[in-house]
């Protein structure tokens, strides 16, 4: 029998801290003191889940399971992710040279153009702030909460025709006609690339490196957190993925090409054969969770 060795007051405490993250209320205490909590367990769970305090259960559960509590601490370089790193560094060198010669009152037309472009890239980076990260986290929390409270199919976690956004996150996704900071449910058109946690920026950000996507991390996330079939730990002395780039000469390889070269080692292939196809299927989403069709000038092959 469940909880057979737990007294009723302990059961009330465990139940309350599990679902509400706080101490039991008067009704739970009263039932426990009368020895009636076990007999009313199902109705009490339903009552507690319908209480706003159950939001803490959703937040903590999703935070641990889908790692949303880590979103705001993720380090990412938007300039590099969007492919502007070389241009950015060249502009910084130009500004350093200007400083070395002493700034003039007026910039040349070319220098003015560079400054305007610098400000444009800076504004792109500034839009990716903690407020946006918090919105990403809330999208996933609200999606799971909606599925749980409405008793919807678990398949909605992976594929659905709605999501939760505010103006800032909607702009990040390219979803039009959303104003204000309040998160709200929006229905997605049939051809939308969004819908389900695997298209949420929270997951896509968490499973990327600071400057690029990581199909390996994304595949591992799906195996561990969605399918419950974790991959064994990597063996020692495995070379870095970028070490395979030397095989391509002057050609700058895509991630798919790097992973294919990495899997040429039987030691690497044993795990990567499971992880890589899952992660590569999400390559159209960059490390910021933004949809893209190309990587380094080549069309993205998202088969997997």
């Amino acid at each position: 029998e469940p909880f057979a060795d737990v007294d009723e007051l302990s059961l009330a405490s465990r139940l309350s801290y599990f679902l509400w993250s706080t101490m039991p209320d008067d009704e739970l205490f009263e039932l426990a003191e009368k020895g009636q909590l076990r007999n009313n367990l199902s109705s009490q769970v339903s009552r507690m889940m319908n209480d706003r305090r159950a939001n803490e259960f959703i937040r903590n559960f999703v935070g641990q399971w889908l790692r949303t509590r880590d979103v705001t601490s993720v380090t990412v370089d938007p300039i590099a992710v969007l492919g502007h790193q070389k241009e950015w560094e060249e502009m910084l060198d130009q500004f350093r040279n200007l400083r070395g010669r002493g700034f003039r009152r007026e910039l040349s037309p070319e220098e003015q153009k560079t400054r305007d472009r610098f400000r444009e890239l800076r504004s792109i980076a500034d839009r990716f702030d903690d407020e946006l990260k918090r919105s990403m986290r809330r999208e996933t929390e609200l999606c799971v909460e909606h599925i749980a409270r409405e008793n919807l199919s678990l398949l909605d976690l992976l594929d659905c025709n709605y999501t939760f956004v505010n103006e800032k996150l909607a702009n990040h996704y390219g979803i039009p006609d959303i104003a204000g900071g309040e998160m709200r449910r929006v229905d997605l058109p049939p051809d939308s690339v969004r819908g389900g946690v695997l298209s949420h920026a929270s997951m896509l950000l968490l499973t990327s490196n600071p400057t690029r996507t990581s199909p390996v991390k994304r595949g591992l996330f799906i195996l561990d957190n969605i399918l419950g079939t974790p991959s064994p730990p990597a063996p020692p002395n495995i070379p870095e993925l970028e070490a395979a780039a030397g095989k391509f000469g002057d050609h700058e390889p895509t991630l798919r090409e790097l992973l294919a070269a990495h899997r040429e080692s039987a030691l690497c292939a044993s795990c990567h054969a499971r992880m890589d196809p899952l992660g590569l299927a999400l390559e159209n989403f960059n490390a910021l969770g933004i949809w893209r069709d190309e990587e380094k000038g080549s069309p993205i092959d998202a088969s997997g």
Side-chain angles (χ1 to χ4, degrees), residues 60-128:
N60 289 326
F61 175 70
V62 176
Q64 294 176 58
W65 170 39
L66 298 177
R67 294 174 48 202
T68 53
R69 60 184 178 184
D70 299 330
V71 169
T72 54
S73 62
V74 170
T75 300
V76 67
D77 183 348
I79 298 294
V81 171
L82 295 172
H84 303 305
Q85 187 65 35
K86 184 177 180 181
E87 180 186 9
W88 178 262
E89 291 174 354
E90 289 173 350
M91 285 189 293
L92 289 178
D93 285 339
Q94 291 182 43
F95 287 138
R96 278 192 285 265
N97 291 334
L98 279 174
R99 186 179 293 113
R101 298 198 306 266
F103 285 110
R104 297 186 293 268
R105 285 187 177 274
E106 293 185 7
L107 298 176
S108 69
E110 188 64 31
E111 290 166 344
Q112 181 71 44
K113 184 179 178 181
T114 299
R115 187 182 68 174
D116 292 344
R117 177 59 175 163
F118 180 85
R119 288 175 173 172
E120 180 184 356
L121 291 180
R122 185 66 180 267
S123 69
I124 292 173
D126 289 344
R127 287 200 295 269
F128 191 78

Side-chain angles (χ1 to χ4, degrees), residues 49 57-58 143-152:
M49 284 301 296
F57 164 71
I58 298 290
C143 182
V144 176
E145 179 182 348
H146 177 70
I147 292 169
R149 291 195 182 282
E150 299 299 323
N151 196 27
L152 301 177

Side-chain angles (χ1 to χ4, degrees), residues 13-197:
S13 181
R14 292 187 183 192
L15 193 62
S16 184
Y17 279 100
F18 175 53
L19 295 180
W20 285 350
S21 298
T22 189
M23 65 184 294
D25 64 357
D26 291 341
E27 185 170 339
L28 284 172
F29 273 132
E30 184 177 346
L31 285 170
E33 288 169 352
K34 292 179 179 179
Q36 297 176 1
L37 179 55
R38 257 185 194 80
N39 295 332
N40 292 277
L41 191 58
S42 180
S43 62
Q44 284 300 304
V45 169
S46 296
R47 176 182 75 88
M48 294 174 73
M49 284 301 296
N50 288 324
D51 191 287
R52 61 180 178 80
R53 284 170 287 189
N55 290 341
E56 288 300 302
F57 164 71
I58 298 290
R59 184 177 63 83
N60 289 326
F61 175 70
V62 176
Q64 294 176 58
W65 170 39
L66 298 177
R67 294 174 48 202
T68 53
R69 60 184 178 184
D70 299 330
V71 169
T72 54
S73 62
V74 170
T75 300
V76 67
D77 183 348
I79 298 294
V81 171
L82 295 172
H84 303 305
Q85 187 65 35
K86 184 177 180 181
E87 180 186 9
W88 178 262
E89 291 174 354
E90 289 173 350
M91 285 189 293
L92 289 178
D93 285 339
Q94 291 182 43
F95 287 138
R96 278 192 285 265
N97 291 334
L98 279 174
R99 186 179 293 113
R101 298 198 306 266
F103 285 110
R104 297 186 293 268
R105 285 187 177 274
E106 293 185 7
L107 298 176
S108 69
E110 188 64 31
E111 290 166 344
Q112 181 71 44
K113 184 179 178 181
T114 299
R115 187 182 68 174
D116 292 344
R117 177 59 175 163
F118 180 85
R119 288 175 173 172
E120 180 184 356
L121 291 180
R122 185 66 180 267
S123 69
I124 292 173
D126 289 344
R127 287 200 295 269
F128 191 78
D129 56 11
D130 286 344
E131 181 184 354
L132 179 59
K133 289 180 180 179
R134 287 191 292 271
S135 299
M136 293 174 177
R137 181 183 66 201
R138 285 298 292 149
E139 176 187 24
T140 305
E141 292 171 350
L142 289 169
C143 182
V144 176
E145 179 182 348
H146 177 70
I147 292 169
R149 291 195 182 282
E150 299 299 323
N151 196 27
L152 301 177
S153 168
L154 281 176
L155 295 179
D156 275 22
L157 286 168
L158 300 180
D159 185 20
C160 57
N161 61 356
Y162 58 85
T163 194
F164 295 81
V165 296
N166 57 12
E167 182 177 2
K168 197 173 184 76
L169 186 56
N171 288 339
H172 186 70
Y173 285 163
I175 298 175
D177 304 323
I178 304 294
E182 180 185 355
M183 299 289 292
R184 83 291 306 263
R185 174 181 161 159
V186 297
D187 292 328
L188 300 169
D191 60 348
S192 175
V193 299
R194 305 289 166 183
V197 297

Side-chain angles (χ1 to χ4, degrees), residues 286-303:
N286 70 15
L288 303 176
I290 299 173
W291 182 266
R292 58 183 182 165
D293 293 307
E294 294 184 349
E295 179 200 359
K296 299 176 180 177
S298 299
I300 289 176
D301 176 5
S303 59

